[in-house]
Amino acid sequence: MVKHKKFQLILISLVLCIIGFNFISISGEFFLNPFYVLSFIIAIILIVKSINYKCPDCGRNQVIRSFLNYKLPKKKCYSCGSRLDPKDD
């Protein structure tokens, strides 16, 4: 699977965990809810992947554009237009 599709799949799984957490009734401590734990784990993975998602040619980040501007990664770089993943056809 190509790199930008993996990133989108992780983002979708985070949204599904957040939605799943809202539909489960909380009895006792909510820290034991599996959706709560999974959402934190997936959020940490997503943060690390978004920080490390850089173009190999120009070195610019493809997800974090500025402090308030974020974009989903694509096949090509936003700045120089080169391919980000050599496996991508």
Side-chain angles (χ1 to χ4, degrees):
M1 184 179 279
V2 291
K3 193 174 180 181
H4 68 278
K5 292 292 182 184
K6 285 182 187 178
F7 187 87
Q8 291 173 356
L9 187 65
I10 292 171
L11 184 63
I12 290 170
S13 63
L14 177 64
V15 170
L16 290 176
C17 282
I18 292 171
I19 291 171
F21 175 72
N22 288 328
F23 283 117
I24 290 181
S25 63
I26 299 172
S27 59
E29 294 195 21
F30 69 96
F31 297 113
L32 301 176
N33 189 336
F35 287 113
Y36 181 77
V37 175
L38 278 175
S39 66
F40 267 102
I41 292 170
I42 293 173
I44 291 170
I45 291 170
L46 192 65
I47 290 170
V48 169
K49 284 196 173 284
S50 65
I51 291 172
N52 293 329
Y53 204 105
K54 296 184 179 187
C55 176
D57 291 339
C58 65
R60 295 194 60 164
N61 196 315
Q62 299 299 304
V63 178
I64 304 170
R65 307 292 290 163
S66 67
F67 185 69
L68 295 175
N69 188 8
Y70 303 96
K71 288 189 174 183
L72 283 176
K74 303 287 182 192
K75 291 180 183 181
K76 295 185 177 184
C77 177
Y78 288 115
S79 301
C80 63
S82 65
R83 288 190 178 265
L84 295 172
D85 196 7
K87 294 183 279 184
D88 191 18
D89 289 333

